[in-house]
Amino acid sequence: MSTLNLGFLASHGGSSMRAIVAAIASGELDGRARIVIGNNGDAPALQFAKQQAIPFRHISARTAGSEQAADTAIARALKDGGAEWVVMSGYLRKLGPATLEAYRGRIINIHPALLPKFGGQGMYGRNVHEAVIAAGETVSGATIHFVDEEYDHGAIIAQREVPVLPGDTVDDLQQRITQAEPAFFVEVLKSLAKS
C-alpha cells in the first residue's frame, strides 16, 4: 500500500477535493494533499487550500500569458509540489500536452453521468443532468476515469449508479449525484493506493 501524493486541479468549490482532504485528515485515506491549482483566482477551492495550509497556485492563460505557458506552469507546479497523482475536482479546462504527458495514466476525473453516455465538450454541471432527463434515462450516476486528450474519454476506472426517479428535476438529479460523488472518489483512491 503506497501513500498517494495528490495534486488537485479545481475551477470552483472543489467538493471532491474537500472530501479527499478530510479522508486524509481522518486517516481513512493514506495520502497527502501536495498542491491545489486553480484557473480561477477567486475559486473557493483555493481559499480552502489556504485555510488547510495546503500549497496553492492560481495558474491560467491570463496569469501565464498563453494556454501553452499555463500548461507548462501547471505541469511544473505539480512536479515541484511533489504530486504523483492529479485529481480533477470540477476543473473546467482541457489539460494541455505538457501536463498530460507528465502525468499520463495518473490524472483522474469524476464525471456526473455514466460514461460513455452524456460526455464530451459542454457536458458538465446542469447540462449533463438536463440531457439525462431529456433522454428518459432511469439510471445515471458518476464515472471516475483517467484523463486523456479528449473530454470525458479516458479509460473508466469505476462507476457508481444513481437512480433517476419519476418526476426528477435537473436540480433533484444533480443534488443526488453530487451527494454520491465525494465518498465514491475516496473509495476509488483507496483502491488505487492498494494496487
Side-chain angles (χ1 to χ4, degrees):
M1 194 144 133
S2 59
T3 301
L4 296 174
N5 289 301
L6 302 171
F8 296 92
L9 299 176
S11 294
H12 298 292
S15 57
S16 292
M17 173 196 69
R18 292 169 191 253
I20 292 163
V21 168
I24 291 168
S26 72
E28 181 187 353
L29 176 64
D30 183 9
R32 286 194 201 103
R34 292 295 197 170
I35 188 167
V36 178
I37 298 172
N39 62 311
N40 167 9
D42 298 325
L46 296 182
Q47 295 304 314
F48 172 80
K50 185 177 182 180
Q51 292 160 5
Q52 299 294 313
I54 302 166
F56 64 94
R57 297 275 310 276
H58 169 213
I59 301 173
S60 67
R62 196 168 64 246
T63 64
S66 69
E67 292 288 348
Q68 184 179 352
D71 174 35
T72 302
I74 289 167
R76 187 177 306 118
L78 288 166
K79 184 174 183 291
D80 291 349
E84 294 169 350
W85 290 84
V86 179
V87 172
M88 296 178 70
S89 184
Y91 188 70
L92 301 178
R93 304 289 303 166
K94 202 170 195 179
L95 294 183
T99 305
L100 286 169
E101 198 48 49
Y103 287 92
R104 178 124 0 239
R106 292 178 291 133
I107 306 172
I108 308 164
N109 183 49
I110 191 163
H111 181 75
L114 299 176
L115 294 174
K117 287 184 172 182
F118 308 107
Q121 189 164 6
M123 278 297 186
Y124 60 87
R126 293 178 62 83
N127 298 349
V128 176
H129 309 301
E130 284 172 0
V132 167
I133 289 172
E137 299 284 332
T138 57
V139 176
S140 189
T143 301
I144 294 177
H145 64 97
F146 290 113
V147 174
D148 64 12
E149 287 79 4
E150 296 179 47
Y151 287 111
D152 306 321
H153 175 264
I156 292 170
I157 301 167
Q159 293 185 308
R160 171 74 42 89
E161 291 188 353
V162 172
V164 181
L165 302 177
D168 262 354
T169 65
V170 170
D171 289 335
D172 295 334
L173 183 57
Q174 184 169 26
Q175 184 176 16
R176 198 173 305 117
I177 291 174
T178 300
Q179 286 174 342
E181 286 178 336
F184 176 43
F185 220 144
V186 169
E187 278 175 37
V188 169
L189 287 172
K190 282 164 72 173
S191 71
L192 285 173
K194 288 176 188 166
S195 59

